[in-house]
Amino acid sequence: MNLLGIIVSFIFVFLIIGTSTILTNKKIINGEGSRKFIHIGVSNWWIIAMIFFKNPIWASIVPAIFIIINYLSYKKQIFKAMERGKNKNDLGTVYYAISLLIISILSFSGIIDKYSGAIGIFIMGYGDGFAAIIGKKYSKKYFKILNTEKSIEGSLTMFIISFIITIIFSSISAQNNIIITSLLIATISTIIEILSPFGIDNLTVPIITSITYEILTNIIK
């Protein structure tokens, strides 16, 4: 089961990257759209992890390998569909894989619940991903924090999607006080995203959100 999970994981991730590359080559999406397609799509790997893996060692193999792959791609521009360019000082794809590794260890070791990990990862994938898409396409009002420009529309998107994701997984895991918890998590994840420059939000958002959610569900009964 664990070995099959490794195989399915690699097929899934490379299918996402391959599809994004094809869509970019056909001019269906642009470079930034390609990166966000991968950013959002790969977050769904957590479902595969929850289905197939039974311990932290097996669950850590795929993200650990992709830390290396993503760094090499960043340096050598191997997978152009997910890179911003060799002159960009943005290790976002590497941070992404590091987050998956850390949350895999925490979740499959029983330190946090797997649904807590899911909330952090899906907020990183869908929340941050769509926030960037909406922000770039529809923003009219921007604000600057820590030398990073953010849009009101993007931050609002981050909040709404984070709220929805938390409600969904809280309902699945039968948590109490779902609305209060979801509002708190959405607020926290949005603030973290705003304050995290240079792709580091791929590290800060999922890890802090997952741990915070775990703490909140033990406090708010």
Side-chain angles (χ1 to χ4, degrees):
M1 193 74 167
N2 288 305
L3 184 57
L4 179 60
I6 298 291
I7 296 170
V8 172
S9 294
F10 276 101
I11 292 173
F12 172 75
V13 174
F14 283 115
L15 183 62
I16 293 291
I17 295 173
T19 301
S20 181
T21 301
I22 291 170
L23 293 175
T24 304
N25 290 339
K26 290 184 176 295
K27 310 297 183 184
I28 296 173
I29 57 177
N30 60 19
E32 187 62 24
S34 171
R35 285 183 286 276
K36 293 309 172 185
F37 181 90
I38 295 171
H39 183 95
I40 294 167
V42 170
S43 67
N44 295 290
W45 170 79
W46 192 250
I47 296 173
I48 295 173
M50 291 179 70
I51 292 172
F52 287 97
F53 301 129
K54 305 302 179 186
N55 64 65
I57 296 175
W58 283 100
S60 298
I61 291 174
V62 173
I65 291 174
F66 271 98
I67 291 173
I68 299 170
I69 291 174
N70 290 359
Y71 183 73
L72 290 174
S73 179
Y74 165 75
K75 296 295 285 184
K76 305 294 184 181
Q77 298 294 295
I78 298 171
F79 299 112
K80 289 186 172 21
M82 67 180 192
E83 303 299 340
R84 281 197 167 93
K86 63 178 67 176
N87 296 322
K88 297 289 185 179
N89 184 27
D90 188 337
L91 285 164
T93 57
V94 179
Y95 297 145
Y96 194 112
I98 292 173
S99 288
L100 291 179
L101 174 61
I102 292 171
I103 294 176
S104 293
I105 293 170
L106 293 175
S107 296
F108 288 88
S109 296
I111 297 171
I112 65 173
D113 189 81
K114 293 182 181 68
Y115 288 108
S116 298
I119 286 171
I121 289 170
F122 279 97
I123 285 177
M124 171 180 65
Y126 284 84
D128 181 52
F130 278 107
I133 292 171
I134 298 299
K136 286 183 180 298
K137 190 167 185 179
Y138 299 106
S139 323
K140 294 180 179 178
K141 295 183 179 180
Y142 291 89
F143 57 96
K144 204 167 188 178
I145 294 181
L146 300 176
N147 293 320
T148 302
E149 195 173 65
K150 300 287 183 177
S151 70
I152 292 175
E153 292 85 353
S155 295
L156 183 59
T157 301
M158 177 71 175
F159 179 87
I160 293 170
I161 294 180
S162 298
F163 179 72
I164 293 170
I165 287 170
T166 308
I167 282 182
I168 291 171
F169 284 102
S170 294
S171 300
I172 293 171
S173 59
Q175 296 294 336
N176 296 318
N177 298 302
I178 292 174
I179 298 298
I180 294 174
T181 303
S182 299
L183 284 171
L184 287 171
I185 289 298
T187 301
I188 291 167
S189 62
T190 303
I191 291 172
I192 295 168
E193 195 276 333
I194 289 172
L195 297 176
S196 301
F198 308 121
I200 201 171
D201 54 340
N202 287 345
L203 198 60
T204 56
V205 169
I207 294 171
I208 295 175
T209 300
S210 295
I211 294 173
T212 302
Y213 179 79
E214 182 72 18
I215 293 170
L216 286 175
T217 53
N218 287 308
I219 294 174
I220 303 175
K221 299 292 185 181

